């Protein structure tokens, strides 16, 4: 109810700026380009174009369009399911973003990119101290994690008032051309954000150069989404990350 656009699991960015293109401006004056994150008036849309299933992989092509319907960029997104044992399932997202006829710049905003929202029984602020948010360095809590670069971030806790413990981990591939900082909040949001810079994320101190794609250029990003029983230790998050890194 507090953030209606936090729906399940998503990949997008809150400020994609198409250079030289006429486009409908967002109602949010802080957004310089097209807002694909929120659902405020004049937001962009990610439109499914085509998809095929190959074994355990769903391969899709999506068009990121401005409010007037023009395509800002094209996305190829492959989602592969990798079972890692009982109560351990890994989704690998292999994403390639390609600029069209116009160069694009990813604006400096905390609103991005691969995000999820956990239930209240897990979230730090509403779990009664039973939830936990942890990164690969063993740091925990919003203050320690928010805006900082890390390999992975995990949110774990009770799956119901009297339910078993489970969690979800978002993982950034070390082969990505851009490292990942984290929009991780105590109220239940966790998002891997490669595009935000120092203005939005103090944890990226000194990093101000925006990510940009020239006409026809592409950027490939790989992320893991690990769903596990147990907490971060019992769920084998560190081991799952190693398995993710070994996958081509």
């Amino acid at each position: 109810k507090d953030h209606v656009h936090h729906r399940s699991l998503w990949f997008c960015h809150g400020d994609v700026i198409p250079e030289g293109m006429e486009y409908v401006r967002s109602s949010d004056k802080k957004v310089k380009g097209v807002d694909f994150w929120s659902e405020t008036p004049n937001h962009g849309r990610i439109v499914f174009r085509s998809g095929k299933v190959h074994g355990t992989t769903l391969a899709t092509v999506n068009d990121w369009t401005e409010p007037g319907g023009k395509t800002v960029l094209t996305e190829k997104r492959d989602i592969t399911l990798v079972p890692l044992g009982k109560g351990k399932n890994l989704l690998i997202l292999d994403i390639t973003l390609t600029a069209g006829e116009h160069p694009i710049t990813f604006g400096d905003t905390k609103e991005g990119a691969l995000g999820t929202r956990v239930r209240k029984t897990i979230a730090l602020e509403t779990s009664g101290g039973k939830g936990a948010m942890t990164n690969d360095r063993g740091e925990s809590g919003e203050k320690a994690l928010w805006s900082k670069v890390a390999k992975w971030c995990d949110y774990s806790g009770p799956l119901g008032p009297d339910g078993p413990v489970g969690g979800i981990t978002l993982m950034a591939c070390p082969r990505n051309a851009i490292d990942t900082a984290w929009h991780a909040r105590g109220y239940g949001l966790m998002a891997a954000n490669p595009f935000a810079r120092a203005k939005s994320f103090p944890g990226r101190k000194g990093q101000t150069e925006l990510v940009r794609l020239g006409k026809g250029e592409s950027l490939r990003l790989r992320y893991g989404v690990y769903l596990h029983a147990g907490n971060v230790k019992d769920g084998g998050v560190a081991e799952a990350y190693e398995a993710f890194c070994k996958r081509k």
Side-chain angles (χ1 to χ4, degrees), residues 117-124 126-127 155 157-161 187-188:
R117 179 71 184 263
V118 300
R119 63 177 64 195
K120 292 182 178 180
T121 58
I122 295 178
L124 299 183
T126 52
S127 67
Y155 228 135
L159 301 182
Y187 63 79

Side-chain angles (χ1 to χ4, degrees), residues 214-241:
K215 176 181 176 181
E217 287 186 343
S218 296
L219 172 66
R220 182 184 179 189
L221 297 168
R222 294 179 78 252
Y223 290 99
V225 180
Y226 179 51
L227 305 167
H228 60 88
N231 58 24
V232 66
K233 182 179 179 180
D234 295 338
V237 172
E239 293 80 6
Y241 177 73

